[in-house]
Amino acid sequence: MNIAWLKEISETPGVSGFETPIRDLLKKKLSGYADSCTTDKLGNLIFFRKGKKPQRLMVAAHMDEIGFIVRHIDEQGFVRFLPLGGFDPKTLTAQRVVIHGKKDITGVMGSKPVHLMKADEKNKPVEMESFFIDTGMTKKEVEKYVEVGNPISRKQELIEMGECVNGKSLDNRISVFMLAEVLRLLHKKPLAFDLHVVFTVQEEVGLRGAQVATMGIKPDFAIALDTTIAWDTPGAGSHESVSKLGNGIGIKIMDGSVIADQRMVEYMKQTAEKGKVKWQSEMLPAGGTDTGYMQRMTAFGSIAGAISVPTRHIHQVVESCHKKDVEAGIKLLTECILKMDTFNWKVG
């Protein structure tokens, strides 16, 4: 694995609705591996490769990350914010963030000190509204660089930890890394179907980028790449884990937004077995992925499925993915794209 490249992808900011930095990075690094590279009106980055046959395959990974947006600057210079994406408030404690204004300003998340809490307050979870961002600057100094509506990203370094990579925004930057690697591996290889590789925007706030990209591309086949929960840690029941780190790449059966097409599921399983790729079935009881809209937002629908990367500590700044699972996912997706025309896709 090219850890330096993954590190750059993980640490480049791009919260939902403000994906320009990560989009610019991908465009700069990957444009040479496709016949064309375009950006649609919503901000999705689309790479196109011409295939031998007229069928269209869309493969997508969302490039946005969860973050915040400036709501208010108070008289003392503390910044109040709204979330962009889903957060468990307790994960905000002791985080550094970066406010992207006229220049980048580092701040820290603050809330009422435990020493000053009343007894009943100590027994209650801290609510999102209780947090503020301390930049160490006065209101006048903050307002030189920051205004309402500026995006805020979390600040965290990607590291290697045992057999894993660990850092912020691996949901879904690990999939961005995988899809970028697959695009590179497919360079100059003949493709059966027209291939549209899409790095989508605003997934974390409602799968919005995938909706418009799918309507524009009108795919016959669709594969999404995203993370999934690996609750294989203490306290998890055997039936609750969803996926396990190191047990292989996930082949999605369903999540809260989609029931994967059984033809795609079977095709992925067969391709994994033939290629000796370690895999595991993945079923996420709640939560959605771009897969749902990739399946439905085109006339008569597409044959859709997803490849899922098992991830611990999702939506925290310490997300972990196993390197072997990532490598398995890259191999599986590459093989699936190259052999799409070898499977019987007929209904019934």
Side-chain angles (χ1 to χ4, degrees):
M1 281 181 62
N2 187 340
I3 299 298
W5 173 222
L6 174 58
K7 179 180 175 69
E8 189 173 8
I9 291 173
S10 169
E11 295 177 10
T12 298
V15 302
S16 299
F18 300 87
E19 295 91 353
T20 299
I22 184 63
R23 180 173 53 245
D24 287 350
L25 173 67
L26 295 171
K27 185 176 181 179
K28 177 182 177 182
K29 297 280 190 176
L30 301 176
S31 291
Y33 297 110
D35 299 334
S36 66
C37 173
T38 57
T39 302
D40 68 18
K41 293 182 180 70
L42 200 65
N44 296 303
L45 183 62
I46 305 170
F47 294 91
F48 174 73
R49 285 279 314 278
K50 183 67 179 173
K52 296 178 181 178
K53 300 178 181 179
Q55 287 93 339
R56 293 180 293 272
L57 168 62
M58 176 181 174
V59 184
H62 75 86
M63 61 180 164
D64 61 311
E65 59 179 330
I66 58 173
F68 315 94
I69 188 168
V70 174
R71 181 182 190 180
H72 178 71
I73 304 167
D74 72 17
E75 291 304 313
Q76 293 176 282
F78 297 115
V79 176
R80 297 285 183 166
F81 57 88
L82 293 173
L84 293 173
F87 278 94
D88 179 350
K90 71 174 180 287
T91 66
L92 302 186
T93 302
Q95 279 194 27
R96 286 195 178 104
V97 297
V98 180
I99 305 171
H100 303 283
K102 292 177 182 177
K103 75 172 186 177
D104 287 352
I105 301 295
T106 299
V108 295
M109 287 287 184
S111 60
K112 189 174 182 179
V114 67
H115 311 76
L116 303 179
M117 288 183 180
K118 298 175 182 178
D120 61 329
E121 290 179 310
K122 293 180 180 180
N123 296 323
K124 294 179 181 178
V126 181
E127 297 179 350
M128 181 77 71
E129 293 76 14
S130 299
F131 286 94
F132 54 84
I133 295 172
D134 178 7
T135 66
M137 299 162 67
T138 65
K139 177 182 176 67
K140 185 177 180 179
E141 290 173 317
V142 172
E143 288 181 337
K144 288 180 183 178
Y145 310 107
V146 176
E147 63 183 10
V148 171
N150 287 156
I152 306 165
S153 65
R154 299 166 300 159
K155 190 173 184 177
Q156 181 73 301
E157 179 186 5
L158 181 109
I159 63 170
E160 294 180 77
M161 189 175 75
E163 294 299 312
C164 298
V165 288
N166 179 273
K168 77 168 184 72
S169 305
L170 292 181
D171 176 12
N172 189 37
R173 298 297 176 75
I174 194 68
S175 299
V176 169
F177 168 79
M178 290 167 59
L179 189 50
E181 289 295 278
V182 170
L183 186 61
R184 181 183 61 81
L185 290 169
L186 292 174
H187 185 48
K188 295 186 178 181
K189 290 188 177 181
L191 303 177
F193 301 154
D194 286 354
L195 174 64
H196 301 259
V197 168
V198 187
F199 296 97
T200 63
V201 297
Q202 298 191 42
E203 190 271 353
E204 294 289 2
V205 290
L207 319 181
R208 298 171 188 174
Q211 294 183 54
V212 300
T214 305
M215 287 189 288
I217 293 168
K218 302 179 178 63
D220 300 292
F221 304 89
I223 299 174
L225 278 75
D226 210 331
T227 55
T228 191
I229 292 171
W231 195 24
D232 53 354
T233 51
S238 59
H239 65 292
E240 297 175 306
S241 67
V242 181
S243 68
K244 296 181 179 179
L245 256 61
N247 272 26
I249 193 65
I251 295 176
K252 184 176 291 294
I253 307 299
M254 64 169 286
D255 62 34
S257 68
V258 69
I259 299 172
D261 191 294
Q262 290 306 293
R263 290 165 290 180
M264 185 63 78
V265 173
E266 184 58 30
Y267 173 60
M268 287 183 177
K269 288 180 179 180
Q270 288 185 17
T271 304
E273 293 293 340
K274 290 176 183 177
K276 297 182 180 179
V277 176
K278 192 173 183 180
W279 65 276
Q280 56 186 307
S281 296
E282 184 256 335
M283 295 178 65
L284 186 64
T289 57
D290 279 344
T291 324
Y293 282 123
M294 291 166 69
Q295 182 185 60
R296 300 193 299 274
M297 295 302 290
T298 184
F300 307 112
S302 72
I303 297 173
I307 291 173
S308 304
V309 187
T311 307
R312 287 180 186 157
H313 323 302
I314 273 187
H315 282 208
Q316 301 182 45
V317 291
V318 288
E319 293 173 332
S320 286
C321 300
H322 199 287
K323 296 177 191 176
K324 294 294 184 184
D325 295 339
V326 175
E327 291 166 357
I330 292 170
K331 184 175 181 181
L332 176 59
L333 180 59
T334 303
E335 292 296 306
C336 282
I337 292 172
L338 289 172
K339 298 175 181 177
M340 286 291 294
D341 61 338
T342 65
F343 188 75
N344 180 9
W345 296 103
K346 294 181 180 179
V347 177

